[in-house]
Protein backbone atom coordinates (compact mmCIF):
# COMPACT_ATOMS: atom_id res chain seq x y z
CA UNK A 1 0.00 0.00 0.00
CA UNK A 2 1.48 3.37 -1.01
CA UNK A 3 2.63 5.48 1.90
CA UNK A 4 0.66 8.71 2.32
CA UNK A 5 3.06 11.57 2.96
CA UNK A 6 2.01 14.36 5.30
CA UNK A 7 0.53 17.13 3.14
CA UNK A 8 -0.35 19.66 5.82
CA UNK A 9 1.54 22.66 7.14
CA UNK A 10 3.42 22.86 10.44
CA UNK A 11 4.19 26.35 11.75
CA UNK A 12 5.20 27.73 15.12
CA UNK A 13 1.66 28.96 15.73
CA UNK A 14 -1.12 26.36 15.55
CA UNK A 15 -3.31 29.01 13.97
CA UNK A 16 -0.96 29.07 11.01
CA UNK A 17 -0.79 25.27 10.72
CA UNK A 18 -2.93 22.95 8.57
CA UNK A 19 -3.58 19.35 9.64
CA UNK A 20 -3.59 16.34 7.29
CA UNK A 21 -5.09 13.18 8.71
CA UNK A 22 -4.22 11.11 5.63
CA UNK A 23 -0.99 9.50 6.95
CA UNK A 24 -2.72 8.49 10.19
CA UNK A 25 -5.97 7.01 8.91
CA UNK A 26 -6.41 3.23 8.86
CA UNK A 27 -6.51 1.59 5.44
CA UNK A 28 -9.84 1.36 3.64
CA UNK A 29 -10.88 -1.24 1.12
CA UNK A 30 -12.32 0.02 -2.13
CA UNK A 31 -16.07 0.58 -2.23
CA UNK A 32 -17.96 -2.64 -2.93
CA UNK A 33 -14.98 -4.89 -2.12
CA UNK A 34 -16.09 -8.54 -1.65
CA UNK A 35 -16.07 -10.50 1.59
CA UNK A 36 -14.29 -13.85 1.77
CA UNK A 37 -15.50 -16.91 3.69
CA UNK A 38 -12.69 -19.47 3.57
CA UNK A 39 -13.87 -22.87 4.83
CA UNK A 40 -11.18 -25.49 5.50
CA UNK A 41 -12.48 -28.92 6.45
CA UNK A 42 -10.22 -31.49 8.06
CA UNK A 43 -9.54 -35.04 6.80
CA UNK A 44 -12.59 -34.99 4.54
CA UNK A 45 -11.72 -37.14 1.55
CA UNK A 46 -12.43 -36.55 -2.11
CA UNK A 47 -15.69 -38.46 -2.09
CA UNK A 48 -17.33 -38.12 1.33
CA UNK A 49 -19.68 -35.27 0.36
CA UNK A 50 -22.75 -35.68 -1.77
CA UNK A 51 -21.67 -33.15 -4.39
CA UNK A 52 -18.56 -35.25 -5.09
CA UNK A 53 -20.56 -38.47 -5.39
CA UNK A 54 -20.24 -39.44 -1.77
CA UNK A 55 -22.78 -41.15 0.49
CA UNK A 56 -23.08 -38.36 3.09
CA UNK A 57 -25.75 -35.74 2.50
CA UNK A 58 -24.27 -32.25 2.81
CA UNK A 59 -27.13 -29.99 1.66
CA UNK A 60 -25.43 -26.74 2.68
CA UNK A 61 -22.13 -27.54 1.02
CA UNK A 62 -24.28 -28.52 -1.96
CA UNK A 63 -25.74 -24.99 -1.85
CA UNK A 64 -22.24 -23.59 -2.37
CA UNK A 65 -21.56 -26.04 -5.21
CA UNK A 66 -24.89 -25.31 -6.89
CA UNK A 67 -24.02 -21.61 -6.87
CA UNK A 68 -20.50 -22.03 -8.24
CA UNK A 69 -17.91 -24.54 -9.44
CA UNK A 70 -16.31 -27.73 -8.14
CA UNK A 71 -12.75 -28.66 -9.07
CA UNK A 72 -11.97 -32.32 -9.71
CA UNK A 73 -8.17 -32.05 -9.90
CA UNK A 74 -7.33 -29.84 -6.96
CA UNK A 75 -4.49 -31.02 -4.75
CA UNK A 76 -2.97 -30.67 -1.30
CA UNK A 77 0.16 -31.87 0.48
CA UNK A 78 -1.55 -34.87 2.18
CA UNK A 79 -0.97 -33.38 5.65
CA UNK A 80 -2.61 -30.73 7.82
CA UNK A 81 0.02 -28.10 8.65
CA UNK A 82 1.81 -28.16 5.28
CA UNK A 83 -1.46 -27.72 3.36
CA UNK A 84 -2.76 -25.02 5.68
CA UNK A 85 0.46 -23.07 5.23
CA UNK A 86 -0.10 -23.22 1.46
CA UNK A 87 -3.73 -22.17 1.82
CA UNK A 88 -2.81 -18.99 3.69
CA UNK A 89 0.43 -17.94 1.96
CA UNK A 90 0.29 -19.05 -1.70
CA UNK A 91 3.77 -20.59 -1.28
CA UNK A 92 4.82 -24.23 -1.30
CA UNK A 93 4.99 -25.85 2.11
CA UNK A 94 8.76 -26.36 2.04
CA UNK A 95 9.30 -22.63 1.44
CA UNK A 96 6.99 -22.07 4.41
CA UNK A 97 9.31 -24.20 6.58
CA UNK A 98 6.32 -26.51 6.96
CA UNK A 99 7.43 -29.78 5.35
CA UNK A 100 5.75 -31.69 8.18
CA UNK A 101 3.12 -31.10 10.85
CA UNK A 102 4.24 -28.64 13.50
CA UNK A 103 4.43 -31.38 16.15
CA UNK A 104 7.15 -33.07 14.07
CA UNK A 105 9.11 -29.91 13.30
CA UNK A 106 12.90 -30.14 13.15
CA UNK A 107 15.57 -27.44 13.15
CA UNK A 108 16.04 -27.09 9.41
CA UNK A 109 14.93 -24.32 7.05
CA UNK A 110 12.29 -26.44 5.32
CA UNK A 111 10.70 -27.93 8.44
CA UNK A 112 10.92 -25.65 11.47
CA UNK A 113 7.16 -25.27 11.84
CA UNK A 114 7.63 -21.49 11.63
CA UNK A 115 6.40 -19.71 8.49
CA UNK A 116 8.95 -16.98 7.68
CA UNK A 117 7.68 -13.39 7.76
CA UNK A 118 8.71 -12.86 4.12
CA UNK A 119 5.91 -15.31 3.25
CA UNK A 120 3.08 -13.04 4.30
CA UNK A 121 -0.31 -14.56 5.06
CA UNK A 122 -3.59 -13.60 3.44
CA UNK A 123 -4.98 -11.95 6.62
CA UNK A 124 -1.82 -9.85 6.93
CA UNK A 125 -2.24 -8.67 3.34
CA UNK A 126 -5.97 -7.98 3.55
CA UNK A 127 -5.79 -6.43 7.01
CA UNK A 128 -3.35 -3.87 5.64
CA UNK A 129 -5.81 -3.14 2.82
CA UNK A 130 -8.89 -2.50 4.95
CA UNK A 131 -10.54 -5.88 5.54
CA UNK A 132 -11.54 -7.16 8.97
CA UNK A 133 -9.91 -10.54 9.52
CA UNK A 134 -11.30 -13.36 11.66
CA UNK A 135 -10.28 -16.98 12.25
CA UNK A 136 -12.18 -19.67 14.10
CA UNK A 137 -11.41 -23.35 14.60
CA UNK A 138 -8.16 -25.17 13.95
CA UNK A 139 -4.86 -23.31 13.48
CA UNK A 140 -2.01 -25.90 13.44
CA UNK A 141 0.55 -23.41 12.14
CA UNK A 142 2.47 -22.80 15.34
CA UNK A 143 5.41 -24.80 16.77
CA UNK A 144 4.44 -26.92 19.75
CA UNK A 145 6.85 -25.09 22.05
CA UNK A 146 5.05 -21.82 21.28
CA UNK A 147 1.63 -23.12 22.29
CA UNK A 148 1.79 -21.85 25.87
CA UNK A 149 1.19 -18.67 27.85
CA UNK A 150 4.90 -17.88 28.23
CA UNK A 151 5.54 -18.11 24.49
CA UNK A 152 5.72 -15.41 21.87
CA UNK A 153 2.47 -14.93 19.98
CA UNK A 154 4.34 -14.36 16.69
CA UNK A 155 2.94 -17.57 15.14
CA UNK A 156 -0.50 -17.48 16.71
CA UNK A 157 -3.35 -16.25 14.49
CA UNK A 158 -3.16 -12.87 16.22
CA UNK A 159 0.51 -12.65 15.24
CA UNK A 160 -0.15 -13.46 11.59
CA UNK A 161 -2.82 -10.93 10.72
CA UNK A 162 -6.06 -12.19 12.26
CA UNK A 163 -7.71 -9.50 14.38
CA UNK A 164 -9.89 -12.06 16.19
CA UNK A 165 -9.40 -15.78 16.85
CA UNK A 166 -11.38 -18.45 18.65
CA UNK A 167 -10.33 -22.08 18.41
CA UNK A 168 -7.37 -24.35 19.14
CA UNK A 169 -3.72 -24.08 18.17
CA UNK A 170 -2.73 -27.72 17.59
CA UNK A 171 -3.62 -30.64 15.35
CA UNK A 172 -6.80 -31.82 17.02
CA UNK A 173 -8.93 -31.38 20.09
CA UNK A 174 -11.78 -32.99 21.95
CA UNK A 175 -15.02 -31.70 20.41
CA UNK A 176 -16.80 -31.89 23.76
CA UNK A 177 -13.99 -30.44 25.89
CA UNK A 178 -11.72 -28.47 23.54
CA UNK A 179 -8.44 -26.70 24.31
CA UNK A 180 -9.87 -23.27 23.60
CA UNK A 181 -7.92 -20.11 22.85
CA UNK A 182 -9.74 -16.77 22.57
CA UNK A 183 -7.66 -14.17 20.74
CA UNK A 184 -4.38 -14.58 22.64
CA UNK A 185 -5.26 -16.49 25.82
CA UNK A 186 -6.87 -19.79 26.87
CA UNK A 187 -10.49 -19.80 28.00
CA UNK A 188 -13.01 -22.29 29.35
CA UNK A 189 -15.83 -23.43 27.11
CA UNK A 190 -19.09 -21.54 27.67
CA UNK A 191 -21.12 -24.56 28.74
CA UNK A 192 -20.87 -28.33 29.20
CA UNK A 193 -21.86 -31.11 26.78
CA UNK A 194 -24.77 -31.88 29.10
CA UNK A 195 -26.01 -28.36 28.37
CA UNK A 196 -25.61 -28.79 24.62
CA UNK A 197 -21.99 -27.82 24.01
CA UNK A 198 -20.19 -28.88 20.82
CA UNK A 199 -17.07 -27.25 19.38
CA UNK A 200 -18.34 -26.78 15.82
CA UNK A 201 -21.49 -25.01 16.97
CA UNK A 202 -19.42 -22.89 19.37
CA UNK A 203 -16.99 -21.62 16.71
CA UNK A 204 -19.92 -20.86 14.41
CA UNK A 205 -21.54 -18.76 17.15
CA UNK A 206 -18.26 -16.93 17.60
CA UNK A 207 -17.73 -16.36 13.86
CA UNK A 208 -21.16 -14.77 13.54
CA UNK A 209 -20.49 -12.67 16.63
CA UNK A 210 -17.20 -11.37 15.22
CA UNK A 211 -18.83 -10.38 11.94
CA UNK A 212 -21.91 -8.81 13.51
CA UNK A 213 -19.91 -6.85 16.11
CA UNK A 214 -17.98 -5.07 13.35
CA UNK A 215 -20.96 -4.66 11.01
CA UNK A 216 -22.83 -2.68 13.67
CA UNK A 217 -20.05 -0.08 13.57
CA UNK A 218 -18.92 -0.33 9.93
CA UNK A 219 -21.64 -2.03 7.86
CA UNK A 220 -19.83 -1.55 4.56
CA UNK A 221 -16.43 -2.81 5.66
CA UNK A 222 -15.53 -6.18 4.04
CA UNK A 223 -14.24 -9.13 6.03
CA UNK A 224 -12.21 -12.31 5.69
CA UNK A 225 -13.51 -15.24 7.75
CA UNK A 226 -11.23 -18.28 7.95
CA UNK A 227 -13.55 -21.03 9.20
CA UNK A 228 -11.71 -24.26 10.08
CA UNK A 229 -13.77 -26.74 12.10
CA UNK A 230 -12.23 -29.81 13.70
CA UNK A 231 -14.51 -31.92 11.50
CA UNK A 232 -13.73 -34.46 10.35
CA UNK A 233 -10.37 -35.08 12.04
CA UNK A 234 -10.46 -37.62 14.82
CA UNK A 235 -11.84 -37.72 17.39
CA UNK A 236 -15.14 -38.18 15.56
CA UNK A 237 -17.51 -36.74 18.16
CA UNK A 238 -21.03 -35.51 17.51
CA UNK A 239 -24.46 -35.47 19.19
CA UNK A 240 -26.15 -38.89 18.96
CA UNK A 241 -29.14 -37.67 16.94
CA UNK A 242 -26.76 -36.84 14.08
CA UNK A 243 -25.32 -40.36 14.21
CA UNK A 244 -28.81 -41.87 14.21
CA UNK A 245 -29.57 -40.28 10.83
CA UNK A 246 -27.12 -42.71 9.24
CA UNK A 247 -28.13 -45.89 11.03
CA UNK A 248 -27.75 -48.89 8.70
CA UNK A 249 -26.38 -46.80 5.83
CA UNK A 250 -22.92 -48.42 5.91
CA UNK A 251 -23.87 -52.01 6.67
CA UNK A 252 -22.81 -53.25 3.22
CA UNK A 253 -19.21 -52.27 3.98
CA UNK A 254 -16.51 -50.08 2.53
CA UNK A 255 -15.84 -52.16 -0.56
CA UNK A 256 -19.47 -51.95 -1.66
CA UNK A 257 -19.47 -48.24 -0.87
CA UNK A 258 -16.48 -47.67 -3.14
CA UNK A 259 -18.34 -49.26 -6.05
CA UNK A 260 -21.50 -47.25 -5.39
CA UNK A 261 -19.58 -43.99 -5.07
CA UNK A 262 -17.61 -44.58 -8.26
CA UNK A 263 -20.83 -45.23 -10.18
CA UNK A 264 -22.24 -41.91 -8.97
CA UNK A 265 -19.02 -40.07 -9.78
CA UNK A 266 -19.05 -41.37 -13.35
CA UNK A 267 -22.67 -40.35 -13.77
CA UNK A 268 -21.89 -36.86 -12.41
CA UNK A 269 -18.85 -36.45 -14.67
CA UNK A 270 -16.46 -36.11 -11.73
CA UNK A 271 -14.22 -38.91 -13.03
CA UNK A 272 -13.77 -40.37 -16.54
CA UNK A 273 -16.14 -43.12 -17.59
CA UNK A 274 -13.32 -45.69 -17.77
CA UNK A 275 -12.09 -45.06 -14.22
CA UNK A 276 -11.31 -48.26 -12.30
CA UNK A 277 -10.88 -48.80 -8.58
CA UNK A 278 -7.48 -49.80 -7.21
CA UNK A 279 -7.21 -52.92 -5.03
CA UNK A 280 -8.26 -52.63 -1.40
CA UNK A 281 -4.59 -53.00 -0.38
CA UNK A 282 -2.90 -51.27 -3.31
CA UNK A 283 0.64 -51.12 -1.93
CA UNK A 284 0.77 -54.57 -0.38
CA UNK A 285 -0.05 -56.58 2.71
CA UNK A 286 2.02 -57.93 5.63
CA UNK A 287 2.10 -61.28 3.84
CA UNK A 288 3.44 -60.14 0.47
CA UNK A 289 5.51 -57.01 1.09
CA UNK A 290 8.54 -56.25 3.23
CA UNK A 291 11.20 -53.56 3.36
CA UNK A 292 14.61 -53.94 1.69
CA UNK A 293 16.07 -55.24 4.93
CA UNK A 294 13.14 -57.52 5.66
CA UNK A 295 11.30 -54.91 7.70
CA UNK A 296 7.61 -55.77 8.23
CA UNK A 297 4.85 -53.98 6.32
CA UNK A 298 3.26 -51.32 8.58
CA UNK A 299 0.41 -53.24 10.23
CA UNK A 300 -1.72 -50.12 10.67
CA UNK A 301 -1.74 -49.56 6.88
CA UNK A 302 -3.32 -52.91 6.08
CA UNK A 303 -7.05 -52.91 5.26
CA UNK A 304 -9.13 -55.93 6.24
CA UNK A 305 -11.47 -57.21 3.50
CA UNK A 306 -15.09 -56.75 4.54
CA UNK A 307 -15.97 -60.39 4.01
CA UNK A 308 -13.19 -61.42 6.42
CA UNK A 309 -14.89 -59.64 9.32
CA UNK A 310 -17.12 -61.28 11.89
CA UNK A 311 -20.70 -60.13 12.24
CA UNK A 312 -19.81 -58.19 15.40
CA UNK A 313 -16.86 -56.52 13.68
CA UNK A 314 -19.04 -55.47 10.75
CA UNK A 315 -21.51 -53.94 13.19
CA UNK A 316 -18.71 -52.03 14.97
CA UNK A 317 -17.07 -50.83 11.76
CA UNK A 318 -20.40 -49.67 10.33
CA UNK A 319 -21.18 -47.72 13.51
CA UNK A 320 -17.82 -45.98 13.28
CA UNK A 321 -18.71 -44.84 9.75
CA UNK A 322 -22.13 -43.68 10.96
CA UNK A 323 -20.41 -41.49 13.56
CA UNK A 324 -18.08 -39.99 10.96
CA UNK A 325 -21.03 -39.30 8.66
CA UNK A 326 -22.92 -37.62 11.49
CA UNK A 327 -19.85 -35.51 12.28
CA UNK A 328 -19.62 -34.24 8.69
CA UNK A 329 -23.38 -33.69 8.42
CA UNK A 330 -23.34 -31.71 11.67
CA UNK A 331 -20.49 -29.53 10.34
CA UNK A 332 -22.48 -29.01 7.15
CA UNK A 333 -25.40 -27.78 9.26
CA UNK A 334 -23.16 -25.20 10.92
CA UNK A 335 -21.89 -24.07 7.51
CA UNK A 336 -25.55 -23.61 6.64
CA UNK A 337 -25.86 -21.18 9.53
CA UNK A 338 -23.08 -19.07 8.01
CA UNK A 339 -24.76 -19.14 4.60
CA UNK A 340 -28.10 -18.21 6.13
CA UNK A 341 -26.54 -15.19 7.82
CA UNK A 342 -24.93 -14.04 4.58
CA UNK A 343 -28.24 -14.33 2.73
CA UNK A 344 -30.35 -12.69 5.42
CA UNK A 345 -27.89 -9.81 5.83
CA UNK A 346 -27.65 -9.21 2.08
CA UNK A 347 -23.93 -10.10 2.04
CA UNK A 348 -24.10 -13.37 0.09
CA UNK A 349 -24.14 -11.84 -3.41
CA UNK A 350 -20.74 -10.22 -2.94
CA UNK A 351 -19.09 -12.88 -0.78
CA UNK A 352 -16.53 -15.25 -2.25
CA UNK A 353 -17.02 -18.61 -0.54
CA UNK A 354 -14.18 -21.11 -0.85
CA UNK A 355 -14.50 -24.61 0.63
CA UNK A 356 -11.71 -27.20 0.65
CA UNK A 357 -10.35 -30.11 2.67
CA UNK A 358 -6.75 -30.02 3.88
CA UNK A 359 -5.96 -33.60 2.83
CA UNK A 360 -7.57 -36.93 2.08
CA UNK A 361 -9.55 -39.04 4.53
CA UNK A 362 -7.40 -40.43 7.32
CA UNK A 363 -6.21 -44.03 7.66
CA UNK A 364 -4.88 -43.43 11.16
CA UNK A 365 -7.59 -45.63 12.64
CA UNK A 366 -5.71 -48.69 11.37
CA UNK A 367 -7.37 -51.94 10.28
CA UNK A 368 -9.80 -52.08 13.20
CA UNK A 369 -10.61 -48.47 13.97
CA UNK A 370 -10.07 -47.09 17.43
CA UNK A 371 -11.94 -45.90 20.49
CA UNK A 372 -8.87 -43.84 21.38
CA UNK A 373 -7.01 -42.34 18.43
CA UNK A 374 -4.01 -41.53 20.62
CA UNK A 375 -3.13 -45.22 20.55
CA UNK A 376 -2.09 -44.82 16.90
CA UNK A 377 0.19 -41.91 17.73
CA UNK A 378 2.02 -44.14 20.19
CA UNK A 379 2.19 -47.23 17.96
CA UNK A 380 -0.21 -49.22 20.12
CA UNK A 381 -2.76 -51.48 18.34
CA UNK A 382 -6.39 -51.37 19.38
CA UNK A 383 -8.06 -54.30 21.08
CA UNK A 384 -11.11 -55.27 19.04
CA UNK A 385 -12.93 -56.69 22.10
CA UNK A 386 -12.46 -53.45 24.01
CA UNK A 387 -13.72 -51.49 21.03
CA UNK A 388 -16.81 -53.70 20.74
CA UNK A 389 -17.63 -53.10 24.38
CA UNK A 390 -17.74 -49.37 23.73
CA UNK A 391 -19.84 -49.39 20.54
CA UNK A 392 -22.67 -47.43 22.13
CA UNK A 393 -20.24 -44.78 23.42
CA UNK A 394 -18.78 -43.97 19.99
CA UNK A 395 -18.99 -40.26 19.23
CA UNK A 396 -19.73 -39.39 22.84
CA UNK A 397 -17.74 -37.95 25.71
CA UNK A 398 -16.20 -41.28 26.77
CA UNK A 399 -14.39 -42.12 23.52
CA UNK A 400 -11.80 -40.47 21.27
CA UNK A 401 -12.69 -42.52 18.25
CA UNK A 402 -11.57 -43.06 14.67
CA UNK A 403 -12.91 -45.38 11.96
CA UNK A 404 -11.05 -48.31 10.28
CA UNK A 405 -8.88 -47.39 7.31
CA UNK A 406 -11.19 -49.20 4.89
CA UNK A 407 -13.55 -46.26 5.24
CA UNK A 408 -10.68 -43.89 4.42
CA UNK A 409 -10.22 -45.69 1.10
CA UNK A 410 -13.97 -45.49 0.52
CA UNK A 411 -14.17 -41.76 1.30
CA UNK A 412 -11.23 -41.20 -1.07
CA UNK A 413 -12.87 -43.05 -4.00
CA UNK A 414 -11.63 -43.62 -6.69
CA UNK A 415 -8.10 -43.13 -5.38
CA UNK A 416 -5.73 -45.31 -3.42
CA UNK A 417 -4.50 -44.86 0.12
CA UNK A 418 -5.15 -41.86 2.30
CA UNK A 419 -3.78 -38.93 4.30
CA UNK A 420 0.01 -39.06 4.79
CA UNK A 421 0.51 -40.77 1.42
CA UNK A 422 1.56 -38.95 -1.73
CA UNK A 423 -0.95 -40.92 -3.79
CA UNK A 424 -4.15 -39.15 -4.84
CA UNK A 425 -5.93 -40.61 -1.82
CA UNK A 426 -3.81 -38.25 0.25
CA UNK A 427 -3.51 -35.30 -2.12
CA UNK A 428 -6.68 -35.07 -4.26
CA UNK A 429 -9.37 -33.15 -2.41
CA UNK A 430 -12.62 -31.22 -2.83
CA UNK A 431 -12.40 -27.56 -3.80
CA UNK A 432 -15.58 -25.52 -4.29
CA UNK A 433 -15.89 -21.81 -5.08
CA UNK A 434 -18.92 -19.60 -5.27
CA UNK A 435 -19.21 -15.83 -5.75
CA UNK A 436 -22.58 -14.77 -7.20
CA UNK A 437 -21.39 -11.26 -8.08
CA UNK A 438 -18.32 -12.44 -9.96
CA UNK A 439 -18.58 -16.14 -10.78
CA UNK A 440 -21.53 -16.82 -13.05
CA UNK A 441 -21.24 -20.59 -13.53
CA UNK A 442 -23.78 -22.56 -11.50
CA UNK A 443 -23.28 -26.14 -10.38
CA UNK A 444 -20.51 -26.81 -12.88
CA UNK A 445 -17.33 -28.89 -12.78
CA UNK A 446 -13.81 -27.76 -13.58
CA UNK A 447 -11.08 -30.23 -14.48
CA UNK A 448 -8.00 -27.98 -14.54
CA UNK A 449 -5.11 -29.09 -12.35
CA UNK A 450 -4.58 -26.82 -9.36
CA UNK A 451 -3.10 -26.88 -5.88
CA UNK A 452 -3.58 -25.37 -2.44
CA UNK A 453 -0.96 -22.70 -3.25
CA UNK A 454 -3.27 -21.30 -5.94
CA UNK A 455 -6.03 -20.13 -3.61
CA UNK A 456 -4.36 -17.01 -2.19
CA UNK A 457 -3.57 -15.66 -5.71
CA UNK A 458 -7.15 -16.55 -6.74
CA UNK A 459 -8.71 -14.73 -3.79
CA UNK A 460 -6.54 -11.67 -4.35
CA UNK A 461 -7.39 -11.67 -8.06
CA UNK A 462 -11.11 -11.72 -7.20
CA UNK A 463 -10.67 -8.88 -4.70
CA UNK A 464 -8.69 -6.81 -7.18
CA UNK A 465 -5.68 -6.40 -4.90
CA UNK A 466 -1.98 -7.03 -5.46
CA UNK A 467 0.66 -8.61 -3.27
CA UNK A 468 2.59 -5.99 -1.31
CA UNK A 469 6.34 -5.51 -1.73
CA UNK A 470 6.76 -5.44 2.05
CA UNK A 471 4.73 -6.45 5.11
CA UNK A 472 5.66 -5.25 8.60
CA UNK A 473 9.03 -4.23 7.23
CA UNK A 474 9.77 -7.61 5.64
CA UNK A 475 10.43 -7.76 1.90
CA UNK A 476 7.94 -10.26 0.51
CA UNK A 477 8.84 -13.37 -1.48
CA UNK A 478 7.15 -14.39 -4.72
CA UNK A 479 4.02 -16.56 -4.78
CA UNK A 480 4.32 -20.12 -6.07
CA UNK A 481 0.59 -20.17 -6.79
CA UNK A 482 -1.32 -18.91 -9.80
CA UNK A 483 -4.84 -17.52 -9.97
CA UNK A 484 -7.64 -19.94 -10.84
CA UNK A 485 -10.06 -17.16 -11.73
CA UNK A 486 -9.58 -17.73 -15.48
CA UNK A 487 -11.39 -21.06 -15.06
CA UNK A 488 -14.50 -19.64 -13.38
CA UNK A 489 -16.36 -19.04 -16.62
CA UNK A 490 -14.10 -20.95 -19.04
CA UNK A 491 -14.67 -24.62 -18.39
CA UNK A 492 -12.53 -25.77 -21.33
CA UNK A 493 -9.56 -23.49 -20.65
CA UNK A 494 -6.14 -25.09 -20.43
CA UNK A 495 -4.78 -25.33 -16.91
CA UNK A 496 -2.63 -22.34 -15.96
CA UNK A 497 -0.50 -24.66 -13.83
CA UNK A 498 1.86 -27.02 -15.64
CA UNK A 499 4.01 -28.32 -12.79
CA UNK A 500 3.81 -28.36 -9.03
CA UNK A 501 7.52 -28.36 -8.11
Amino acid sequence: MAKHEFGGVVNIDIRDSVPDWGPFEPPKASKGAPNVVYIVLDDVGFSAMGCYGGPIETPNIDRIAADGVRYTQWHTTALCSPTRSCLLTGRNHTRNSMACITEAAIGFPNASGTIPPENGMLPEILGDLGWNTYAVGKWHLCPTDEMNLAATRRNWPSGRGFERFYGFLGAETNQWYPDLVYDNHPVDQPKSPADGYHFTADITDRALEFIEDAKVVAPDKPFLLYYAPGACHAPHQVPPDWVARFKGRFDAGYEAMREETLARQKKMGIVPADTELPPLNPIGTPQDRHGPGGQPFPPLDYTRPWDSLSGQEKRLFARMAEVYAGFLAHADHQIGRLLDYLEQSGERENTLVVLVSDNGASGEGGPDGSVNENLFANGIPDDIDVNLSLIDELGGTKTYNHYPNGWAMAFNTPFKMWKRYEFNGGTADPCIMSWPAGLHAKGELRHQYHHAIDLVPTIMDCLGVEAPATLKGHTQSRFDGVSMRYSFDMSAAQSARKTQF
Side-chain angles (χ1 to χ4, degrees), residues 151-477:
T152 171
R153 305 301 199 270
R154 61 178 182 163
N155 291 304
W156 289 31
S158 59
R160 294 308 304 246
F162 283 110
E163 297 163 344
R164 308 302 308 275
F165 172 68
Y166 185 80
F168 61 98
L169 295 175
E172 64 183 48
T173 197
N174 193 306
Q175 301 294 298
W176 301 115
Y177 300 102
D179 299 318
L180 282 174
V181 169
Y182 195 164
D183 291 336
N184 63 0
H185 63 282
V187 293
D188 293 328
Q189 63 199 69
K191 58 186 178 182
S192 72
D195 294 323
Y197 182 83
H198 190 276
F199 178 73
T200 316
D202 187 17
I203 64 168
T204 308
D205 291 343
R206 200 67 65 185
L208 294 172
E209 177 185 295
F210 289 165
I211 296 169
E212 291 172 335
D213 283 353
K215 287 293 182 183
V216 169
V217 180
D220 297 325
K221 188 175 182 180
F223 63 87
L224 162 68
L225 170 65
Y226 179 77
Y227 179 86
C232 283
H233 195 293
H236 302 156
Q237 295 170 318
V238 69
D241 57 314
W242 286 92
V243 179
R245 298 174 185 219
F246 295 93
K247 183 175 177 59
R249 293 275 296 277
F250 301 96
D251 289 355
Y254 32 74
E255 288 160 272
M257 194 181 96
R258 292 173 74 208
E259 297 283 355
E260 294 166 0
T261 298
L262 179 59
R264 286 191 295 267
Q265 290 175 325
K266 290 179 178 180
K267 186 175 181 180
M268 296 167 73
I270 290 171
V271 300
D274 59 353
T275 302
E276 297 180 359
L277 292 173
L280 187 64
N281 285 288
I283 65 171
T285 69
Q287 289 72 41
D288 63 24
R289 184 172 180 180
H290 300 84
Q295 300 95 331
F297 183 88
L300 290 175
D301 283 350
Y302 170 67
T303 301
R304 298 176 64 189
W306 190 258
D307 62 9
S308 72
L309 305 178
S310 70
Q312 285 287 81
E313 289 172 328
K314 290 178 179 178
R315 177 168 158 264
L316 173 66
F317 287 19
R319 176 66 63 83
M320 288 176 164
E322 292 168 8
V323 174
Y324 177 87
F327 195 18
L328 179 55
H330 178 262
D332 176 82
H333 176 72
Q334 304 304 321
I335 291 169
R337 293 177 58 204
L338 293 177
L339 298 177
D340 289 346
Y341 166 78
L342 293 173
E343 291 172 358
Q344 292 162 10
S345 63
E347 299 282 352
R348 179 67 185 95
E349 179 73 14
N350 198 29
T351 298
L352 172 63
V353 178
V354 180
L355 182 142
V356 299
S357 175
D358 64 349
N359 46 243
S362 168
E364 292 157 17
D368 297 325
S370 180
V371 297
N372 183 354
E373 193 233 358
N374 287 314
L375 294 172
F376 169 85
N378 291 281
I380 302 171
D382 269 78
D383 184 308
I384 194 74
D385 292 326
V386 172
N387 290 1
L388 279 165
S389 71
L390 292 169
I391 189 170
D392 292 328
E393 302 290 347
L394 292 173
T397 59
K398 297 179 181 179
T399 55
Y400 204 82
N401 47 291
H402 200 325
Y403 56 37
N405 57 27
W407 295 118
M409 279 281 281
F411 290 127
N412 289 330
T413 301
F415 305 123
K416 64 182 176 184
M417 302 307 288
W418 40 71
K419 173 185 174 183
R420 296 181 291 118
Y421 278 93
E422 73 276 20
F423 302 113
N424 276 341
T427 65
D429 289 291
C431 175
I432 307 171
M433 294 195 207
S434 170
W435 177 28
L439 194 170
H440 304 299
K442 305 292 182 186
E444 297 182 12
L445 299 174
R446 294 292 181 267
H447 303 294
Q448 292 88 353
Y449 175 93
H450 279 288
H451 188 272
I453 57 175
D454 297 327
L455 290 183
V456 166
T458 303
I459 291 169
M460 293 179 62
D461 190 2
C462 293
L463 302 188
V465 300
E466 296 183 358
T470 61
L471 270 175
K472 301 177 183 175
H474 297 279
T475 299
Q476 293 297 286
S477 67

Side-chain angles (χ1 to χ4, degrees), residues 34 60 68 74-75 84 95 128 179-180 213 303 453 498:
N60 294 294
W74 184 82
H75 291 75
R84 289 164 190 262
R95 287 184 61 213
D128 273 4
D179 299 318
L180 282 174
D213 283 353
T303 301
I453 57 175
K498 302 301 180 186

